Amino acid sequence: MSASVVLCTYNGVSFLPQLWQSLLAQTRLPEHIVVRDDASRDGTWELLISLRDAGVARGIDVSLARNPVNVGYAKNFERALAGTSGEVLFLCDQDDVWHPDKLATMLAAFEQRPRLSLLHADARLIGADGKDLRCTLFRALEATRKEIGGIHCGRAFDVLLRRNLATGAALAMRRSLLADAMPFPDEWVHDEWLAIVAAATGEVDCLETPLMDYRQHGANQIGAQRRNLAGKWARAGEPRIAYLEWLVRRGNTLLQRLPQLGPCVSPAHIDAVRGKLAHLGYRLGLPVARPRRLWPVLLEALAGRYARYSTGLRAVAYDLLGSG
């Protein structure tokens, strides 16, 4: 089974050499590395040209492409994925460090499970200096045993409909998924979209073993820093309406796409998206005055819809404390 690594870069001179070294140190090398640079201005492109020779020397086909103007990380990944040839595709960030057995471990899972469409793994968080932050990706995301267990038991769509747990740098997928997932909608981040489409059309699972070092620093596009209590309290008090309207747009995009993917999509999945949209509509209709929200929020929570379609008690706190 062939493997392509899909690496997107932007001003990555600081960490790119260490990432590249970790790719070439894999116990099972990829056949193809596709690199797409998003109009870097710090010498990244020149560095990539020099790094390519080391990959070619190891027998890897290295493809380099460069956007004339910056298009953003999601669109850059979409363009890079279109240039792949491997049966299994590994998304890769420029500032991480892969553990030597990452590719081999994940590829073995695809070989053993023909229906597996997408697999994501845990990661160890490190700082800009490479020091262990003593926290894993799943822990930073506060992934619960119920969520992880749901993914293991074939209920990944329900888990991912609530919130995404599949981080791009830590996932791999069958190339066949691209036919259903592309083009990527503007309302979704590429990794979230790939994961939810994979869960709707096939099997998604996760590995609880960290297979890479996920670097956290000031230039992260998204990152995974764990919020403390003060951060959570500040988040709960943020304006609600714009955020909820954005979630509705995402839900409508998903609802429009799923029926186009054929009979492999369960009617239950489509009904679940409709249920989430109804729940979001209910939340959007809550009174502006905070005291008047208490009873309707309580009713929705008792009905189990905050737990099923949103982030449970965190979403309850957001609706009770948020402005608007």
Side-chain angles (χ1 to χ4, degrees), residues 107-119:
L107 200 58
F110 284 98
E111 291 172 341
Q112 295 162 9
R113 300 171 58 179
R115 282 185 48 80
L116 184 62
S117 182
L118 183 144
L119 182 67

Side-chain angles (χ1 to χ4, degrees), residues 10 17 37 80 99 101 186 229:
Y10 177 68
D37 182 70
H99 297 179
D101 59 345
D186 293 337
L229 186 58

Side-chain angles (χ1 to χ4, degrees), residues 249-300:
R249 290 195 297 272
R250 284 161 50 96
N252 282 324
T253 298
L254 182 59
L255 186 60
Q256 292 168 8
R257 182 71 70 92
L258 289 183
Q260 301 172 13
L261 303 182
C264 60
V265 177
S266 166
H269 292 338
I270 296 175
D271 288 343
V273 178
R274 290 196 180 106
K276 174 155 187 169
L277 284 168
H279 167 68
L280 292 172
Y282 182 91
R283 294 176 64 187
L284 277 168
L286 290 171
V288 174
R290 291 183 180 90
R292 294 179 57 199
R293 296 181 206 160
L294 179 58
W295 181 244
V297 167
L298 180 60
L299 290 177
E300 187 76 353

